[in-house]
Amino acid sequence: DAALFAVGRLFFPAQAAPAGPSEGSWPNHEPLAFAAILAGEQHPWLAKARPVDAWDAKGLALGVLERLGLRAEVRALEGNAVPRHLHPRAAAELHVDGALVGTFGLLHPDLVVAFDLAKETAVVCLDGEAIGRLGAKTPRHAPLPRFPG
């Protein structure tokens, strides 16, 4: 069983540049991203363990966005719209105010076999730059009250 996440930069080749000495040179496109993987079984309190599913990935993605003060709309993906790394029948996009901010779903079965992963492996990927453009709030924490009441 595993539940891991990372926040960091993705590395893509430089976008098509105008002809000239800078063509194909640095800087490459390096957007900030949040990625998470859930594999194996979930062990909820007061219930039997169950395999991870796309709903767990959805809950994680929506929870992260909610902590940033954003309400996301979930749109199921079908056919050619499904990213190659996601299962064709368990993939979705997250949109906030019409802007695409991420994807989630089960990992494609071919990748699960190729990397010898748990049969049920879910992934979440959020675009940090798109979220930043939306003006996500910085989470604020309040101290616990000293006296109940």
Side-chain angles (χ1 to χ4, degrees):
D1 302 338
L4 306 169
F5 78 93
V7 176
R9 298 214 172 265
L10 302 177
F11 301 96
F12 296 107
Q15 302 297 324
S22 65
E23 188 172 317
S25 62
W26 290 85
N28 288 338
H29 184 57
E30 300 177 7
L32 183 64
F34 167 90
I37 186 166
L38 305 169
E41 293 185 335
Q42 289 284 71
H43 297 276
W45 294 4
L46 306 175
K48 287 184 170 182
R50 60 170 180 72
V52 167
D53 58 24
W55 300 108
D56 296 312
K58 176 184 176 185
L60 175 64
L62 292 176
V64 169
L65 293 172
E66 184 178 307
R67 293 289 297 162
L68 296 173
L70 302 171
R71 283 187 67 81
E73 175 189 350
V74 176
R75 297 181 190 168
L77 294 172
E78 297 177 358
N80 293 334
V82 177
R84 291 180 9 207
H85 68 282
L86 293 179
H87 193 293
R89 291 185 297 278
E93 290 180 333
L94 297 160
H95 293 261
V96 175
D97 296 335
L100 175 63
V101 296
T103 59
F104 69 88
L106 292 179
L107 202 57
H108 195 285
D110 292 345
L111 290 175
V112 170
V113 170
F115 290 103
D116 193 26
L117 300 172
K119 183 178 176 188
E120 292 81 13
T121 302
V123 293
V124 174
C125 188
L126 300 176
D127 182 345
E129 289 185 357
I131 292 169
R133 285 190 296 272
L134 292 168
K137 299 175 186 169
T138 301
R140 297 191 185 257
H141 302 281
L144 293 172
R146 189 167 181 157
F147 300 102

